[in-house]
Amino acid sequence: MKIREIYNLAIQMGIEADFRDKEGVEGFLERKRKKYEKMEDKEKEEFDQEALENPYLDTRVYHIAGDKEVKKVLAGIDIGPAEILMTKEIKGIDLTIAHHPLGRGLTHLADVMDLQCDVLNFYGVPINIAEGLMKERIDEVARGVNSKNHQRTVDAAKLLKINLMNIHTPSDNLAAHFLKELIEKEKPERISDLMSLLKEVPEYREAMKVGAGPKIFVGDPDRRCGKIALTEITGGAEGSPKLYEKMAQAGIGTIIGMHVSEEHKKEAEAANINAVIAGHISSDSLGMNLFLDELEKKGIEIIPCSGLIRISRAEK
Ligand SMILES: [Fe+2]
């Protein structure tokens, strides 16, 4: 596989696992295309053309130094200049894949958060409330990433002639989809049952060994889960803390997240919503693994780094 083929596969798998379904994702792109058509020439020049085809602007190819057949990949959760140097050192790596966005992917992180409105709506929160409360938070995230040194790692890749890309929301979609299916199949009754179920997932089992396994942030093991929602696994960054009250009104009893801020925790507590935190890097690993398995099936060797807990589910 070439780099562009790997990238296209990631986008395609992300769409297949998306809460919005294919039509929903297509509608999201269609609205952008219509807006683009109405733009003045000057505006069109400034517009990120990739937005017309890629529904996940936090997922990009940053640098292609040599467009060859990819046989060996270095994959990690956070790729920085250190990992770019490692790529050079390990020898034979054809492509470095990060999970968290870099460069243009990072500046556009807030763009994917629109997905959260649809996820919340999927679980019964009226779309007007989800959109209203998310708008404020999306703007906040957009301002937050503005100050970062976006091109640092990309510059390192260019200097050392390393092929570099990242897969963020498509991978998080795969993790959310995996957990949703698991929960719908096993139907845990109490929080303790949900915890046992999560602890059977190999990535979480591995994370437990270093003290980063699933944890109950709000609620206790004896409580019943009620309706379990995967509202905080995918969609770029943490949503609005004001949403918990609305989630409770929509009938959600428990949320499974990757991580939760203190403010979010307090709001969940006040709304009597149980919050089970599956783990950040382990959940990121789960999503990446589901994608990397597809590369492995095509004969590509995967070298994990930077926190990636590599578990292969690919039948060889
Ligand atoms: Fe993450």
Side-chain angles (χ1 to χ4, degrees), residues 77-78 99-101 168 172 233 236 258-259 280-281 283-285:
I77 303 301
D78 296 290
H99 172 58
H100 288 142
H168 191 225
D172 287 346
I233 300 287
M258 280 203 200
H259 44 84
H280 182 192
I281 304 307
S283 300
D284 283 345
S285 295

Side-chain angles (χ1 to χ4, degrees), residues 242-286:
K242 293 178 191 159
L243 278 160
Y244 291 106
E245 191 201 329
K246 308 296 173 194
M247 285 191 228
Q249 286 163 1
I252 293 172
T254 300
I255 60 108
I256 302 179
M258 280 203 200
H259 44 84
V260 74
S261 74
E262 280 305 298
E263 193 191 357
H264 283 71
K265 179 190 168 285
K266 278 183 199 140
E267 291 296 329
E269 227 156 26
N272 288 303
I273 286 191
N274 303 308
V276 170
I277 297 309
H280 182 192
I281 304 307
S282 47
S283 300
D284 283 345
S285 295
L286 170 62

Side-chain angles (χ1 to χ4, degrees), residues 63-81:
H63 186 58
I64 300 180
D67 193 14
K68 51 185 172 179
E69 203 61 33
V70 175
K71 295 196 178 76
K72 199 169 171 182
V73 159
L74 182 74
I77 303 301
D78 296 290
I79 299 295

